[in-house]
Amino acid sequence: MMVNLKQFFDATNPSKTLFAEESELDQKYYIDFSSVRGGQIIEDLRDNITLWSPEQPTCQLFTGHIGCGKSTELLRLKAELEREGFHVVYFESSKDLEMGDVDVGDILLAIAKRVSESLDRLTLEEPKRLKSILQGAAKLLQTEINVVDIKGQVGPAEITANQEGITVVAMGIAKITAKVKASPDLRSKLRGYLEPQTNGIIEAINKELLEPAIAKLKQQGKKGLVAIVDSLDRVDSTTKPWGRPQQEYLFVDRGEQLRSLHCHLVYTIPLALRFSNDFGTLIERFIVQPHVLPMVPVQSRDGSEHPEGMNLLRQMVLARAFPDLTPEQRLEKMTLIFEDPQTLDRLCRVSGGHVRNVLRMLNDGIKKQRQLPLTSKTLEDVIALYRNARILAVTDAEWELLRRVRKEKKVVGDDGYQTLIRSMFVYEYRDGSESWFDVNPLLLEAKELLS
């Protein structure tokens, strides 16, 4: 059996999110890591909606290191909720928002836009208050948005006279957000208009969009509406002009408003917030504990190899080359991809169980060598590049903190440790319900850490 180099390269694309419930090939690529990640996190998110509170709106938080597989798991959550009879709107907020400069009004409008787009086949009454707000914003920004007489195509559905109101809301928000996304001045101008009306905007979205939409959906046999807002964990840690860090401002100061929409909500949030001094206040605002997706363990807390975690990572890599083979057959074909089993194990260990970084280093190794099997030398060259890039970003104070984490396997909540988490110098793992931490293996071999 020969492995097609280009197909394998495409299959290891680290930026590709798996749509395991929609694509047969993606389903074959998908590896369930829940047994080594501390439990059935997605099932818990699902059950909180379908089992414990199907009729009353819920708001749940989901977090983890960027690249650890949250989007893939949230798409699985979407599919499971749809099977349970819910109408689910999933979207990546980074496509609508400028992540370096986000306000609560931006998030609310993005949700209203995406929900409106997904409901293009429903007939709802004209959302007069929402349209009025958009008209005011359009006038402020000098944007020509015709909110009365739009005809044509939006996505796959044709706009009818009865659908115009809700579709125009979606189109109006889309035009406004597209205009302000690239302009800080226009964003500031728009916020000056929207901020005093935030509670009114929430009420308008609830009364004119969400509540009537849910009533119509239930008439069609649906059980409710769920909005999954992905990529908010990518919100920058920049400081607002008045001195408040953006992440704390959004999810702590404005948390009550974010959970005030009358539908089921799932937000991703930055992992560093778990180590903020305001974390307790965040929990009070949302009245829930965030669900955490930890790394796949490659070793146990005592430093010994973690057999199950390593085996699952091996399968994740080999499934990209041999999606139609059984796990046992894939292992037999391993040397078609790597010159020896030790090379694959080295890749898995040095990733620290960060699934995207496994694929990134493998993908870069394929590009560098241009043929298979991948040699140990090629992999070490790639690892050296990644390690050097990481080392350059670590300060002397951070090296001291890293030495402490390496020794104590824990992180405490101060600014220094927030930086370690945000910069992915430190990874979180889970033993059952208990968290522990360790240094990114790329840094473990640095002389600064050994000194």
Side-chain angles (χ1 to χ4, degrees), residues 79-114:
E80 293 192 9
L81 289 170
E82 288 172 341
R83 280 196 291 270
E84 293 281 348
F86 286 81
H87 178 84
V88 185
V89 181
Y90 165 91
F91 70 99
E92 296 180 33
S93 57
S94 56
K95 293 181 178 179
D96 294 315
L97 309 174
E98 172 51 56
M99 306 310 278
D101 183 18
V102 183
D103 210 313
V104 66
D106 307 332
I107 299 173
L108 296 172
L109 287 181
I111 294 171
K113 166 179 171 280
R114 295 293 187 149

Side-chain angles (χ1 to χ4, degrees), residues 2-34:
M2 294 295 294
V3 178
N4 184 297
L5 183 66
K6 180 60 166 62
Q7 287 181 1
F8 185 50
F9 175 77
D10 291 341
T12 59
N13 180 353
S15 64
K16 182 183 185 299
T17 298
L18 295 183
F19 292 79
E21 301 292 336
E22 299 178 14
S23 163
E24 184 178 348
L25 183 58
D26 283 5
Q27 178 63 51
K28 293 175 181 177
Y29 290 160
Y30 177 77
I31 301 296
D32 184 359
F33 293 111
S34 60

